[in-house]
């Protein structure tokens, strides 16, 4: 059963940590059962043997999933076919490593006979065995992460009123204000639990996952970052991308902290959202222009570390 927010541990809002826990459980199960391919190793060597297999495959699939869902046709539509593809790529990478590990652990021996190309034949056979497994296992691991999230069912929450976008700001190229709001098309907000409302505070990209923080709580979605920002811009939500993996709504920002070793956007509740150094000039300019348009005489909103 999904735990209510705030959670007892941070890992419950980290897709990577949850995938890691699932992978660890899988490694323990394989080391305990000692299936064919790792039979006779014993528990501790089996932990290392299967841990190297599962760890490498999970790391490659994790990176590949993010890459596929950030670019090209993977940005839209169902993410599940792309997760299958990412799992298959992980299997392709894993197969030669698996052959080497089998040799190191003494699990199997390559045909050392005089037939030319025996190593290539063994590799092709390994691909045939490994790729279908990883192509199915990776989506299954992600399905567990999605399944344990709070259900999004129940009566739909009334849509939050669109905030006043203010004057157009060229510095806010990351979240343009549309001339006419397009609320008819579905967006990622429709997949949030009704109890969280629709007042988005900030977004954090976690490869092919998105941690959405609203004024009512947090929720992990299997969702690409770019299309989510596009949805918010289309709905007229005034905000900006502050980091390669973060977006904030201006209405929930208290100040910018540019003096720190790690620059950050400080939210009204004190949360520090990463502020990339390459994006800092644009974000600072947008924040200063927003503060000036609200009150030309105000100096409170100037970023820390800059003269007022």
């Amino acid at each position: 059963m999904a735990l209510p927010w705030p959670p007892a541990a941070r890992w419950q809002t980290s897709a990577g940590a949850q995938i890691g826990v699932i992978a660890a459980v899988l490694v323990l199960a394989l080391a305990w059962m000692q299936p064919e391919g790792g039979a006779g190793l014993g528990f501790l060597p089996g932990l290392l043997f299967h841990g190297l297999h599962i760890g490498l495959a999970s790391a490659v699939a994790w990176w590949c999933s993010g890459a596929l869902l950030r670019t090209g046709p993977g940005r839209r539509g169902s993410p599940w076919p792309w997760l299958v593809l990412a799992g298959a790529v992980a299997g392709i990478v894993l197969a030669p490593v698996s052959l080497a590990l089998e040799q190191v652990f003494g699990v199997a021996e390559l045909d050392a006979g005089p037939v030319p190309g025996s190593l290539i034949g063994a590799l092709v056979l390994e691909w045939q065995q490994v790729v279908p497994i990883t192509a199915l296992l990776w989506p299954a691991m992600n399905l567990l992460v999605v399944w344990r999230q709070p259900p999004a069912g129940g009566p739909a929450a009334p849509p939050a009123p669109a905030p006043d976008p203010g004057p157009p700001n060229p510095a806010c190229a990351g979240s343009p204000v549309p001339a006419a709001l397009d609320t008819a098309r579905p967006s990622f907000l429709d997949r949030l639990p009704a109890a969280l409302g629709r007042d988005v505070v900030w977004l954090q990209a976690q490869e092919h996952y998105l941690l959405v923080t609203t004024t009512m709580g947090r929720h992990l979605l299997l969702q690409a970052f770019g299309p989510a920002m596009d949805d918010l811009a289309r709905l007229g939500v005034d905000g900006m991308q502050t980091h390669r993996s973060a977006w904030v709504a201006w209405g929930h920002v208290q100040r910018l902290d540019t003096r720190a070793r790690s620059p950050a956007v400080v939210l009204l509740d004190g949360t520090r959202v990463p502020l990339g150094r390459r994006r800092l000039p644009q974000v600072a300019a947008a924040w200063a222009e927003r503060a000036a348009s609200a009150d030309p005489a105000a100096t409170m909103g100037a970023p820390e570390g800059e003269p007022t």
Side-chain angles (χ1 to χ4, degrees):
M1 185 175 68
L3 299 179
W5 181 258
R10 269 181 201 274
W11 70 271
Q12 295 174 8
T13 57
S14 169
Q18 293 185 51
I19 289 290
V21 170
I22 294 169
V25 171
L26 185 59
V27 169
L28 285 170
L30 290 173
W32 180 264
M33 294 185 296
Q34 297 189 26
E36 184 180 358
L41 283 177
F43 182 71
L44 291 180
L47 277 179
L48 181 58
F49 179 76
H50 294 296
L52 291 171
H53 279 80
I54 299 296
L56 175 62
S58 298
V60 173
W62 174 264
W63 176 85
C64 191
S65 298
L68 287 171
L69 291 177
R70 280 195 305 265
T71 59
R75 286 169 54 92
R76 294 291 180 183
S78 173
W80 296 105
W82 303 102
L83 293 183
V84 172
L85 178 58
V89 171
I92 293 172
V93 174
L94 177 63
V97 178
S98 178
L99 282 177
L101 289 174
E102 289 172 357
Q103 291 296 293
V104 170
F105 283 83
V107 171
E109 294 185 1
L110 291 175
D111 181 5
V115 180
S118 59
L119 178 60
I120 295 178
L123 183 57
V124 170
L125 180 61
E126 193 77 8
W127 274 328
Q128 292 174 345
Q129 294 173 344
V130 171
V131 171
I133 295 174
T134 56
L136 295 177
L137 183 60
W138 180 242
M141 293 171 69
N142 284 268
L143 184 61
L144 287 174
V145 176
V146 174
W147 171 76
R148 71 164 303 279
Q149 296 303 305
D164 180 11
N169 184 3
C172 290
S175 70
V177 178
L181 302 185
D182 180 5
T183 58
R185 286 191 294 163
S187 73
F188 76 96
L189 296 178
D190 300 327
R191 293 158 48 210
L192 291 176
L196 294 188
R198 298 297 183 265
D199 189 1
V200 176
V201 178
W202 72 291
L203 306 176
Q204 180 188 33
Q206 299 179 12
E207 288 296 342
H208 52 298
Y209 282 89
L210 186 70
L211 179 61
V212 183
T213 300
T214 73
T215 53
M216 304 299 291
R218 297 183 179 185
H219 189 77
L220 268 176
L221 288 176
L222 188 58
Q223 166 71 44
F225 186 38
M229 291 192 293
D230 293 344
D231 284 344
L232 291 174
R234 176 171 54 83
L235 294 172
V237 181
D238 188 16
M240 190 173 188
Q241 184 177 359
T242 64
H243 187 268
R244 68 172 181 266
S245 62
W247 177 98
V248 297
W250 284 127
H252 297 284
V253 174
Q254 178 188 118
R255 58 186 172 86
L256 304 186
D257 185 0
T258 60
R259 296 182 304 181
R261 197 169 185 178
S262 299
V265 178
V266 182
L267 303 182
L268 295 175
D269 64 356
T271 299
R272 296 177 63 84
V273 177
L275 175 55
R277 293 192 179 275
R278 285 188 298 178
R279 295 183 181 274
L280 195 153
Q282 280 184 309
V283 175
W287 176 247
E289 183 172 339
R290 179 180 174 85
S293 64
D295 183 358
T299 58
M300 187 187 312
E304 289 189 6
E306 297 183 7
T308 57

